[in-house]
Every structure is written in C-alpha cells, then in structure tokens.
Amino acid sequence: LSYYNEYKSYLRMRLIILFLWLASEIGVFGICLRNKRYVEWIQGSPNTNVIISAPHDGYRKPSKIPDRKVGCYDSTTGQCDWRHDCDTKGGVRVTGKCKVVLHADLRSADLAKAIRKEITSLTGETPHIIISKLHRSKLDPNRDRENAAQHDPIAEKAYDNFHGCIQKAHDLVKGPGLQFDIHGYRTHAVDNWIEFGYRISTGDLNADRLNASISSIRALAGRTNATIEELIRGKTSVGGFAEELGYRTVPSPRYPRPSIGKDEGREGRYFRGGYITQKWGSAEKGDIDCIQIEFPQWTRDKSEVHGPKFGQAIVKFLNKYYP
C-alpha cells in the first residue's frame, strides 16, 4: 500500500509538471514546440528584450502539404477564397486580387542567426528567435491564417506553432522590447538597398506623411522625446546607424523617401512591412515594437560578413532606445 501511494504521488507530480510546462508553452495562436520539423524556436536570455523572426527561408516541401495557389475572388464580398479546391466550387482564380508569392527569401535565416550572434556578443543577452522551416510554397507565416495555410490542417498547425512561439517570446520580454522580422527581396534588385518597414506606406513616406500612431513602433514614439521623423529616418534610426557603416538604406538620412531611388535611375520600390509587423508590432497595443527588414541577396549570400556588421548598427539603436 505504501508503494502504491508513493507511485500515485509520483504520477501526480509528473502530471503537474507536464501541465505547468504546457501552460508555459501555450500562446494566443497555439502551442510553441521547440525545434520541431516545421518551426525552429530557440529561447533567448532571461533578460533579453529582442526577438528575431525569419518566416520565408524554409526549405521543407512535404508532399502531404499541397502547394499554395492563387485564391478565388468573390466580387460580391470583395474577399478571397483560399481553399485549394475553390475553383471546383464555382470560384475563379484571380491573380490580381488573390495573389500568392511562392519564392523563398533565400539565406535570410542564416543572416538572422548571424545578426543574433553579434547582438549576443555585444550585449551579453541572446535574442529569442523563431524560424519557419516550411518552404513558402507550403506555408507563408507572413500572411493571415487562411492565406498562409489555405485550410490545410498540417500547414495550419505549423502556422499556429510559428505564431505561438512569437507569442511566447513576447510573453518572456519584460518591459519595452523590439522584434526584427527578417526578409529578403529579389523583385527590385536594381534598388540594391536595405529596407526598414514600419507599416508606413511608400506613398506616405514620399509625401512626408509620418503618423506615429499607425506605425509598428508606436510604443517607442510614445515613450521617447524623439520625433517619428528621427526614429525612422534620422541619424539615430536603424537606417541611420546602418548608413554610417556604408549601407544604402531606406528610410534613412540619405534616402528619407523611396522616390529618391527613381531620381538615381533606379525603381525606388519599398516594402513597408507585412502581416507579422502589423500583428506583432505596437500599432494596435503593447510595448513591443516590430521592424521588418528587407535585405538584398548579396547581403544574405555573405551573412558571415554582413550579419556581424549589421548587428552593430542594431545594437547602437538598441542602446539608444531600448537600454
């Protein structure tokens, strides 16, 4: 009887431990599982206030997850139907309305890890990092759930895991924090600059309409004396610090507006930040900001060079505004 009671106590304790572990892992979007097949989550230092995400450099293409397709457009509701079989149910696929992007941001995860390593080296604190391992043709974590996973149950679980890990990272950060969402572009390589997305559109940047209240760094703008102008394209912006190291960046002191690129005979294109920047930045709530960074291919091809160098610019920005 004594052995039986001890065994019951042991099982009870194991169940309590399991429950506490699950409670610590669950975020708004779902459970965050470490180093699983489709999502890589590496927890940082207890006192870090930096989070890094890389959603578009996955390489896994499991056949059991169907490829993402252009959605079917409903002109009555103005909505897209993202089901894989929408065209067999009377829908018509319309690229201009329900577009999908399938190419990967090649080597952006390598660059994210190199930046993380440099931040650790310079600050003594290791950022949290979340990386999607699924190829973008199977899952796009930088879209809303329906577009991202297109109703496939396996892709949906991976999506929930990815965003659940971001939620866990946010829960672990104490006080003001900053998330960097790392991307790469190839659509306008002629511009050849590094782009910082704050959810302020190209048109608004070109017209000097800078509204801190709708930006993904709203919290930062609200707790500092610096203007939104200084924070996104001044000398002490991330773009400003990176510019000091020799990079062409936008927005920045030299390129406050993307349109200046056209004046130089380039395209002058710019990505303002996507779903992750909107969802996990401070535009709607909270004190954790988010900045999307788009890197040209040559920086990603030599992450061992540009990761440490760019990490220095980020640390200068962190020391200035997130001490």
Side-chain angles (χ1 to χ4, degrees):
L1 184 60
S2 176
Y3 173 78
Y4 175 72
N5 288 334
E6 288 180 3
Y7 185 66
K8 279 188 12 179
S9 297
Y10 169 77
L11 287 179
R12 187 180 298 112
M13 182 59 67
R14 296 293 294 178
L15 286 172
I16 290 173
I17 292 172
L18 177 61
F19 175 78
L20 292 174
W21 177 81
L22 284 173
S24 71
E25 297 292 319
I26 292 176
V28 169
F29 284 86
I31 295 176
C32 173
L33 301 173
R34 292 181 179 86
N35 295 317
K36 292 299 180 179
R37 179 170 298 181
Y38 300 144
V39 178
E40 182 175 4
W41 151 254
I42 307 175
Q43 186 167 320
S45 303
N47 295 321
T48 185
N49 60 353
V50 181
I51 302 164
I52 298 174
S53 51
H56 287 162
D57 194 19
Y59 58 92
R60 296 186 185 277
K61 297 181 179 181
S63 58
K64 57 187 175 182
I65 300 178
D67 287 348
R68 297 170 63 242
K69 297 179 180 180
V70 171
C72 297
Y73 182 67
D74 186 333
S75 59
T76 303
T77 63
Q79 301 295 316
C80 294
D81 182 350
W82 294 109
R83 292 174 296 176
H84 285 95
D85 61 350
C86 67
D87 54 349
T88 67
K89 301 178 183 300
V92 178
R93 298 189 185 277
V94 181
T95 302
K97 297 290 186 179
C98 305
K99 177 183 178 181
V100 293
V101 179
L102 303 177
H103 63 261
D105 295 352
L106 192 62
R107 301 188 186 91
S108 56
D110 293 338
L111 185 57
K113 289 180 177 180
I115 291 171
R116 178 177 187 254
K117 184 177 180 180
E118 184 67 11
I119 293 173
T120 303
S121 175
L122 294 176
T123 67
E125 300 289 348
T126 303
H128 307 294
I129 190 167
I130 307 98
I131 298 171
S132 175
K133 293 184 176 181
L134 277 174
H135 191 270
R136 199 174 181 182
S137 61
K138 303 295 183 178
L139 177 72
D140 187 343
N142 197 33
R143 299 290 187 272
D144 66 77
R145 194 171 187 262
E146 287 195 358
N147 184 341
Q150 298 199 343
H151 298 270
D152 178 77
I154 300 175
E156 286 176 336
K157 287 181 181 179
Y159 181 89
D160 292 345
N161 190 16
F162 182 88
H163 285 278
C165 289
I166 294 180
Q167 179 66 62
K168 179 175 175 62
H170 279 239
D171 291 342
L172 289 170
V173 170
K174 304 175 184 68
L178 180 57
Q179 178 176 341
F180 293 101
D181 194 39
I182 306 299
H183 293 258
Y185 68 88
R186 65 181 188 181
T187 54
H188 50 291
V190 67
D191 283 318
N192 198 33
W193 52 24
I194 298 170
E195 305 168 13
F196 300 94
Y198 304 91
R199 293 297 297 173
I200 296 175
S201 71
T202 302
D204 284 343
L205 276 176
N206 287 337
D208 297 327
R209 293 189 297 264
L210 308 182
N211 187 347
S213 66
I214 63 170
S215 77
S216 59
I217 58 167
R218 178 195 58 80
L220 172 62
R223 64 179 174 79
T224 65
N225 293 324
T227 64
I228 188 65
E229 173 86 22
E230 178 61 29
L231 291 174
I232 71 169
R233 58 191 190 185
K235 289 184 178 180
T236 62
S237 65
V238 189
F241 286 126
E243 189 176 89
E244 287 181 356
L245 297 176
Y247 292 108
R248 295 179 67 253
T249 62
V250 61
S252 65
R254 181 181 174 187
Y255 295 100
R257 296 172 293 278
S259 59
I260 296 177
K262 290 185 177 180
D263 298 337
E264 296 180 345
R266 305 172 190 265
E267 289 189 48
R269 292 179 62 185
Y270 166 78
F271 290 125
R272 68 172 182 163
Y275 177 82
I276 290 173
T277 309
Q278 178 67 29
K279 175 66 185 176
W280 296 108
S282 62
E284 297 176 3
K285 61 180 180 179
D287 59 359
I288 299 179
D289 304 298
C290 186
I291 301 172
Q292 177 176 297
I293 309 180
E294 291 275 356
F295 289 94
Q297 189 63 57
W298 58 272
T299 57
R300 290 175 276 138
D301 287 342
K302 293 187 176 181
S303 60
E304 73 281 3
V305 174
H306 299 290
K309 190 175 178 181
F310 201 82
Q312 294 170 25
I314 285 178
V315 168
K316 287 183 178 180
F317 185 73
L318 293 172
N319 288 339
K320 176 72 175 176
Y321 295 112
Y322 300 85

